[in-house]
Amino acid sequence: MSRAVEDRTTETQTPNHRMVVLNRRVAVGLGLASVAAIHILDLPGKFAETPYLAAFYVVLIIASFVLTERLFVAGTRRDFLAAAALSAAVIVGFTINRTVGMPGATGDIGNWLEPLGLLSIVVEAFVLWQSIAAVVAMPRKAR
Protein backbone atom coordinates (compact mmCIF):
# COMPACT_ATOMS: atom_id res chain seq x y z
CA MET A 1 0.00 0.00 0.00
CA SER A 2 1.40 3.38 -0.94
CA ARG A 3 2.14 5.97 1.72
CA ALA A 4 -0.56 8.36 0.39
CA VAL A 5 -3.22 5.66 0.58
CA GLU A 6 -2.11 4.69 4.10
CA ASP A 7 -2.24 8.33 5.23
CA ARG A 8 -5.71 8.78 3.74
CA THR A 9 -7.04 5.56 5.29
CA THR A 10 -5.73 6.57 8.72
CA GLU A 11 -6.96 10.14 8.32
CA THR A 12 -10.50 9.10 7.37
CA GLN A 13 -11.04 7.54 10.77
CA THR A 14 -10.50 10.70 12.82
CA PRO A 15 -13.32 12.53 14.61
CA ASN A 16 -12.66 15.56 12.39
CA HIS A 17 -13.24 13.42 9.31
CA ARG A 18 -16.55 12.14 10.67
CA MET A 19 -17.60 15.77 11.19
CA VAL A 20 -16.71 16.59 7.57
CA VAL A 21 -18.88 13.73 6.30
CA LEU A 22 -21.70 14.83 8.62
CA ASN A 23 -21.44 18.38 7.27
CA ARG A 24 -21.64 17.04 3.71
CA ARG A 25 -24.76 15.06 4.66
CA VAL A 26 -26.40 18.28 5.83
CA ALA A 27 -25.17 20.26 2.81
CA VAL A 28 -26.44 17.69 0.31
CA GLY A 29 -29.72 17.26 2.18
CA LEU A 30 -30.40 21.00 2.24
CA GLY A 31 -29.32 21.23 -1.40
CA LEU A 32 -31.82 18.55 -2.37
CA ALA A 33 -34.56 20.31 -0.40
CA SER A 34 -33.69 23.45 -2.35
CA VAL A 35 -33.88 21.54 -5.66
CA ALA A 36 -37.38 20.40 -4.66
CA ALA A 37 -38.43 23.93 -3.68
CA ILE A 38 -37.15 25.40 -6.97
CA HIS A 39 -39.10 22.84 -8.98
CA ILE A 40 -42.23 23.34 -6.86
CA LEU A 41 -42.11 27.03 -7.82
CA ASP A 42 -41.89 26.13 -11.53
CA LEU A 43 -44.44 23.29 -11.36
CA PRO A 44 -47.68 25.20 -12.11
CA GLY A 45 -46.26 26.51 -15.38
CA LYS A 46 -45.11 23.04 -16.39
CA PHE A 47 -48.60 21.58 -15.92
CA ALA A 48 -49.91 24.23 -18.32
CA GLU A 49 -47.08 23.97 -20.89
CA THR A 50 -45.96 20.34 -20.95
CA PRO A 51 -47.72 17.93 -18.61
CA TYR A 52 -45.14 15.16 -19.09
CA LEU A 53 -42.39 17.49 -17.81
CA ALA A 54 -44.63 18.33 -14.84
CA ALA A 55 -44.79 14.61 -14.08
CA PHE A 56 -40.97 14.45 -14.16
CA TYR A 57 -40.90 17.45 -11.81
CA VAL A 58 -43.19 15.64 -9.36
CA VAL A 59 -40.93 12.57 -9.44
CA LEU A 60 -37.88 14.81 -8.94
CA ILE A 61 -39.52 16.60 -6.00
CA ILE A 62 -40.50 13.36 -4.29
CA ALA A 63 -37.07 11.80 -4.91
CA SER A 64 -35.37 14.91 -3.52
CA PHE A 65 -37.41 14.79 -0.32
CA VAL A 66 -36.89 11.04 0.11
CA LEU A 67 -33.13 11.40 -0.36
CA THR A 68 -33.05 14.38 2.00
CA GLU A 69 -34.65 12.21 4.69
CA ARG A 70 -32.26 9.33 3.93
CA LEU A 71 -29.23 11.64 4.19
CA PHE A 72 -30.38 13.12 7.50
CA VAL A 73 -31.11 9.68 8.97
CA ALA A 74 -28.51 7.34 7.46
CA GLY A 75 -26.19 9.13 5.04
CA THR A 76 -24.79 6.02 3.39
CA ARG A 77 -22.61 5.88 0.32
CA ARG A 78 -25.65 4.73 -1.67
CA ASP A 79 -27.59 7.85 -0.54
CA PHE A 80 -24.81 10.14 -1.71
CA LEU A 81 -24.51 8.30 -5.02
CA ALA A 82 -28.27 8.57 -5.54
CA ALA A 83 -28.14 12.32 -4.79
CA ALA A 84 -25.29 12.74 -7.26
CA ALA A 85 -27.13 10.75 -9.95
CA LEU A 86 -30.34 12.72 -9.43
CA SER A 87 -28.54 16.05 -9.66
CA ALA A 88 -26.56 14.96 -12.71
CA ALA A 89 -29.79 13.84 -14.43
CA VAL A 90 -31.39 17.23 -13.81
CA ILE A 91 -28.29 19.03 -15.13
CA VAL A 92 -28.40 16.88 -18.28
CA GLY A 93 -32.14 17.53 -18.69
CA PHE A 94 -31.62 21.28 -18.26
CA THR A 95 -28.83 21.25 -20.83
CA ILE A 96 -30.94 19.32 -23.35
CA ASN A 97 -33.87 21.65 -22.72
CA ARG A 98 -31.72 24.72 -23.37
CA THR A 99 -29.87 23.35 -26.42
CA VAL A 100 -32.16 21.19 -28.58
CA GLY A 101 -35.36 21.34 -26.53
CA MET A 102 -37.67 18.64 -25.27
CA PRO A 103 -40.52 17.13 -27.29
CA GLY A 104 -43.30 19.70 -27.26
CA ALA A 105 -41.17 22.15 -25.29
CA THR A 106 -38.80 24.14 -27.46
CA GLY A 107 -39.57 27.56 -25.96
CA ASP A 108 -36.57 27.47 -23.60
CA ILE A 109 -33.92 26.83 -26.26
CA GLY A 110 -31.17 29.36 -25.63
CA ASN A 111 -32.83 30.66 -22.44
CA TRP A 112 -29.74 30.13 -20.28
CA LEU A 113 -30.25 33.20 -18.08
CA GLU A 114 -33.73 32.46 -16.73
CA PRO A 115 -33.31 33.09 -12.96
CA LEU A 116 -35.02 29.96 -11.63
CA GLY A 117 -33.10 27.80 -14.11
CA LEU A 118 -29.78 29.37 -13.14
CA LEU A 119 -30.51 28.87 -9.46
CA SER A 120 -31.46 25.27 -10.15
CA ILE A 121 -28.21 24.56 -12.00
CA VAL A 122 -26.08 26.16 -9.27
CA VAL A 123 -27.79 24.15 -6.51
CA GLU A 124 -27.66 20.90 -8.49
CA ALA A 125 -23.97 21.39 -9.29
CA PHE A 126 -23.35 22.00 -5.57
CA VAL A 127 -25.24 18.83 -4.63
CA LEU A 128 -23.29 16.84 -7.23
CA TRP A 129 -19.95 18.22 -5.99
CA GLN A 130 -20.70 17.65 -2.30
CA SER A 131 -22.08 14.15 -2.94
CA ILE A 132 -18.98 13.07 -4.83
CA ALA A 133 -16.73 14.65 -2.20
CA ALA A 134 -18.61 12.76 0.54
CA VAL A 135 -18.23 9.40 -1.23
CA VAL A 136 -14.51 10.01 -1.75
CA ALA A 137 -14.07 11.04 1.89
CA MET A 138 -15.89 8.05 3.37
CA PRO A 139 -13.76 5.37 4.98
CA ARG A 140 -13.37 2.23 2.92
CA LYS A 141 -15.58 0.14 5.21
CA ALA A 142 -18.41 2.73 4.92
CA ARG A 143 -18.31 2.62 1.14
Side-chain angles (χ1 to χ4, degrees), residues 8-95:
R8 182 168 167 258
T9 303
T10 303
E11 175 189 337
T12 60
Q13 297 172 4
T14 66
N16 182 49
H17 177 266
R18 285 189 291 276
M19 184 59 72
V20 169
V21 172
L22 176 63
N23 289 340
R24 292 196 195 281
R25 286 172 58 186
V26 172
V28 173
L30 292 176
L32 287 170
S34 299
V35 167
I38 290 165
H39 286 85
I40 287 170
L41 291 174
D42 199 30
L43 190 57
K46 287 299 173 222
F47 276 117
E49 295 171 6
T50 45
Y52 79 92
L53 285 179
F56 283 129
Y57 274 34
V58 170
V59 170
L60 170 64
I61 291 163
I62 292 168
S64 294
F65 284 140
V66 168
L67 282 172
T68 296
E69 174 68 13
R70 290 277 312 151
L71 283 161
F72 288 165
V73 173
T76 66
R77 179 177 188 264
R78 181 177 291 163
D79 299 328
F80 282 113
L81 290 173
L86 184 66
S87 291
V90 175
I91 291 169
V92 167
F94 179 86
T95 304

Side-chain angles (χ1 to χ4, degrees), residues 1-11 140:
M1 187 183 297
S2 75
R3 177 75 178 152
V5 172
E6 287 177 27
D7 289 343
R8 182 168 167 258
T9 303
T10 303
E11 175 189 337
R140 290 195 184 278

